[in-house]
């Protein structure tokens, strides 16, 4: 399993957000570099993003919410959601996204 995982839930529809394109990137002196890309499954999870282990540093998940809202017949305010976070140790980092057409929230999960 990847050290970095995510899960997207659509709080307006009350179900997992399937079909959300997601990018995982890392930051270094040259800027952002994409490490992996994927799409959330029927449970709203992007299960194959990233390697089993990442070095400490700054990472981000970029969620293409415009594509998701268009596919579900919703009109959204945020065309993408970018969640930037720091990895400081070898623990698992689970970064869920709760999304609706006009708001989003995120946190470090387990």
């Amino acid at each position: 399993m990847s050290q970095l995982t995510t899960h997207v839930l659509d709080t307006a529809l009350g179900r997992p957000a399937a079909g959300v394109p997601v990018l995982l990137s890392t930051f270094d002196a040259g800027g952002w570099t994409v490490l992996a890309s994927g799409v959330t499954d029927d449970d709203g999870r992007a299960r194959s993003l990233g390697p089993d282990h990442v070095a400490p540093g700054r990472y981000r998940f970029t969620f293409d919410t415009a594509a998701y809202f268009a596919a579900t017949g919703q009109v959204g305010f945020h065309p993408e959601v970018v969640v930037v976070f720091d990895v400081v140790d070898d623990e698992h980092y689970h970064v869920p996204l709760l999304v609706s057409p006009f708001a989003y929230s995120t946190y470090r999960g387990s």
Side-chain angles (χ1 to χ4, degrees):
M1 176 171 72
S2 175
Q3 184 180 353
L4 308 177
T5 59
T6 189
H7 187 197
V8 184
L9 300 172
D10 185 327
T11 59
L13 299 179
R15 63 180 186 222
V20 180
V22 183
L23 295 176
L24 170 63
S25 305
T26 187
F27 186 80
D28 62 23
W32 290 101
T33 301
V34 174
L35 294 177
S37 64
V39 177
T40 57
D41 61 16
D42 288 342
D43 194 36
R45 298 179 187 276
R47 298 181 190 271
S48 61
L49 282 176
D52 293 346
H53 180 268
V54 298
R58 184 149 296 166
Y59 295 86
R60 75 178 177 194
F61 282 121
T62 303
F63 301 90
D64 184 350
T65 50
Y68 171 73
F69 289 135
T72 58
Q74 301 179 80
V75 176
F77 180 68
H78 302 283
E80 70 178 11
V81 173
V82 178
V83 179
V84 179
F85 56 97
D86 289 328
V87 170
V88 298
D89 52 34
D90 289 333
E91 291 184 19
H92 177 238
Y93 286 73
H94 184 64
V95 185
L97 176 67
L98 307 177
V99 67
S100 72
F102 300 102
Y104 66 88
S105 178
T106 186
Y107 57 95
R108 181 173 177 192
S110 59

